[in-house]
Amino acid sequence: MLKILFPERFSLVKTFAITFLVFAFIIRLVFYIWSFSTIDFSFLNFIKIFTVGFLFDIGSLSYILAIYSIYLLLIPKKFYGSPFDRIITNFTYSLVLFFLVFSFLSEITFWQEYRKRFNFIAVDYLLYSYEVIQNIHQSYPIPLIVGILLVITFIAIKITKQKNAFNVTFNNTNSFTLKITPTLFWVLTLVIFQLNVKNTQAEIFSNQYENEVIKSGLYSFFAAYHKNELSYTTFYKTYPTDTVFSEIKNLVTTKKDSLIGPTNSIRRINFNKGKEQTPNVIFIGLESVSAKFMSRFSNKKSLIPAIDSLAKESIFFTNLHATGTRTIRGIEAIALSIPPTPGRSIVKRNNNNNNNLFTIGEIFKQKGYTRTFFYGGDGHFDNMNGFFANNGFDIVDRKKKHRFNETFPTQRTQINDEEVTFENAWGICDGDLYIKVLKEADKQHKLKKPFFNFIMTSSNHKPYTYPSGVIDIPSGTNRAGALKYTNVTFQNFFNKAKDKPWFKNTVFVIVSDHCAYSAGRSEINVESYHIPALIYNLQNINPQEIHKLSSQIDIFPTLFGYLNWTYETNLFGKDITKMQPSEERALIANHVKLGLLKNNELLILNNQKNHTFYKWNPKNHELSIQKSNPLFLKETVSYYQTAFDLFKNNGLKLKS
């Protein structure tokens, strides 16, 4: 059988296949050992992991070998070993092998960060190669890594030559007929996997670590590439449109709201009593700060004491959850106040689709505010500038010199070299960014108009580098150092802000974009969505803790309630302070799975039109499957189906 699949002309195919499968086995074994303490070990599961994983490796391999097999099939016998044949084969084999080794080693670093195989994050990062390459350069010893890659590639090629594979490939008399069977094998394998095998079919366990170990990194990468945008109505459970819009109106409105939009809309007037206040508002998006880093939630390491301290002087939401696991998900939830749509964030979508949307900025505009987005890096990353500028925000960022000047409908202010004391792959340090915010706020104050500033920090991100001498942990050491630096700059910002003439009339909203770690045993790890959220410096409001279960999408509707605003809205979020116990809920999701958490129960929709209903134990964060609840399912679907419907059918657009 092997001689039929690997005739002499296909000797390199056999050698490459063996090399690939050996590497894949080693990587899977490494991940298995790495995750051993978190998996449900049994000998049967062990066999399943490596058997099913082997099949997915074969599928991944077919995408490479099908192309080379066709080449071998079509080249006539008289050209075997010709200069053309040797150049093409030697160059391609070496190049593909080098990138194969690179991809396997990259999986290790990706696993270290996310505890997952390549997914949509890897795909997104590929689109922003500058930031990613700089991050790798600043996080790892590149010369050493390149050296290791070259050595491994060299050894693999040397072994291949010792096995005489090159010589046999070039010097044989295999006929066209003899080459048909191996070519068909690899082509048909490719077709079968392309048309019939989904990456999710590797998810045969309830333990997500085991599911990730099973998968092939390359196959997962290309599966994620194809799923960057998912149609909710095609892949998820649906109800009739009229049904879900009737349900969502009941979920997002209050008794005082007045609906003003068409039938399939949530557009309404939100009424609040009292004299309207229009203080300046500064929003600070904390990069990757989990609630569990706070001493309030029993952390003993004193990582972010300034944030803990400010929380005691604020309206502190102790049970608020992020909607996703990436910065652009956090921005989407906060700026658009919308449940996450499957696939990539709306922020990242084409600017023809995500411009002129009804954001929180529109409500600030109704009240006469200026609106500015601050980012210490180049806001081209993840399309942040495109999203904010095309939705009415001015931009203050640090444009990379190699990028073309982009044209925006609003003003873009560059953070100049003389304003920078430290910079890494993602941009200037948070300390420099805060100083820039203070300078711009001083200018805005002189305009005699209230301002709304949306700040997105970035220092608490690998490579965890920051100016030396600021804290007791050397730059680039670990996340603890980055958190301590985040804390110091946060404290310095408020110390300086308190001396400003605009401070007394400024409200600060502080919310994390997402947690630092999202991996877990279950398909959605609830603990990895719990984030800090507070509103500071509200006039005539005493500090207090609010323990209601809520979402990022609720934070600004809650602020508007505190400010007694009556306003037109198209937002899904609600005023947390006015939520009844039956209304408390959190929308938590990843790239594909969409969840609703409520009353210690979690329903997760998947992209195969199915769902799973869990009981959640908040003490140990364990999930146990239970019988589905039709009403809970309807509520979950209503949130996500209507959000997708409004986005796709321009229901989020501003009225022309």
Side-chain angles (χ1 to χ4, degrees), residues 4 29-30 55 74 138 151 224 278 292 314 364 414 460 470 490 533 555 568 613 627 656:
I4 295 174
L29 183 62
V30 168
L55 295 176
L74 297 179
Q138 294 167 15
V151 168
T278 54
K292 66 181 180 181
S314 307
F364 279 105
Q414 166 79 338
N460 185 31
V470 178
F490 182 86
I555 193 68
E568 181 180 337
F613 192 43
K627 184 180 178 181
S656 55

Side-chain angles (χ1 to χ4, degrees), residues 574-607:
K574 300 187 71 170
D575 186 337
I576 300 170
T577 64
K578 296 182 175 66
M579 282 184 180
Q580 299 300 312
S582 62
E583 298 174 314
E584 295 178 36
R585 51 84 190 100
L587 297 149
I588 56 178
N590 57 34
H591 196 58
V592 174
K593 305 289 178 69
L594 311 174
L596 177 67
L597 179 67
K598 189 173 184 177
N599 298 324
N600 292 337
E601 293 179 311
L602 175 67
L603 192 143
I604 299 175
L605 305 171
N606 65 36
N607 61 332

Side-chain angles (χ1 to χ4, degrees), residues 86-134:
R86 289 177 182 272
I87 291 171
I88 289 293
T89 299
N90 287 327
F91 176 77
T92 304
Y93 190 92
S94 301
L95 184 66
V96 173
L97 184 60
F98 177 84
F99 280 105
L100 172 68
V101 175
F102 173 78
S103 71
F104 281 127
L105 291 181
S106 297
E107 279 200 77
I108 294 175
T109 60
F110 195 82
W111 186 276
Q112 180 185 24
E113 183 78 9
Y114 300 104
R115 294 297 190 272
K116 290 182 181 294
R117 294 284 193 164
F118 288 143
N119 58 14
F120 68 98
I121 298 175
V123 174
D124 280 354
Y125 279 2
L126 192 66
L127 300 177
Y128 298 98
S129 56
Y130 178 83
E131 283 82 358
V132 174
I133 290 172
Q134 289 298 311

Side-chain angles (χ1 to χ4, degrees), residues 185-197:
F185 172 80
W186 291 111
V187 171
L188 289 176
T189 301
L190 184 152
V191 170
I192 289 169
F193 270 80
Q194 179 67 25
L195 298 181
N196 299 296
V197 180

Side-chain angles (χ1 to χ4, degrees), residues 161-204:
K161 288 183 176 180
Q162 288 176 346
K163 297 294 183 181
N164 214 27
F166 283 98
N167 188 44
V168 174
T169 298
F170 296 139
N171 298 286
N172 63 83
T173 58
N174 288 165
S175 64
F176 180 84
T177 304
L178 201 61
K179 297 186 292 183
I180 291 176
T181 299
T183 303
L184 283 176
F185 172 80
W186 291 111
V187 171
L188 289 176
T189 301
L190 184 152
V191 170
I192 289 169
F193 270 80
Q194 179 67 25
L195 298 181
N196 299 296
V197 180
K198 297 178 180 178
N199 200 45
T200 52
Q201 289 175 268
E203 299 173 2
I204 60 177

Side-chain angles (χ1 to χ4, degrees), residues 138-156:
Q138 294 167 15
S139 302
Y140 304 100
I142 296 300
L144 177 62
I145 291 175
V146 172
I148 292 173
L149 288 172
L150 291 173
V151 168
I152 294 175
T153 304
F154 175 78
I155 293 173

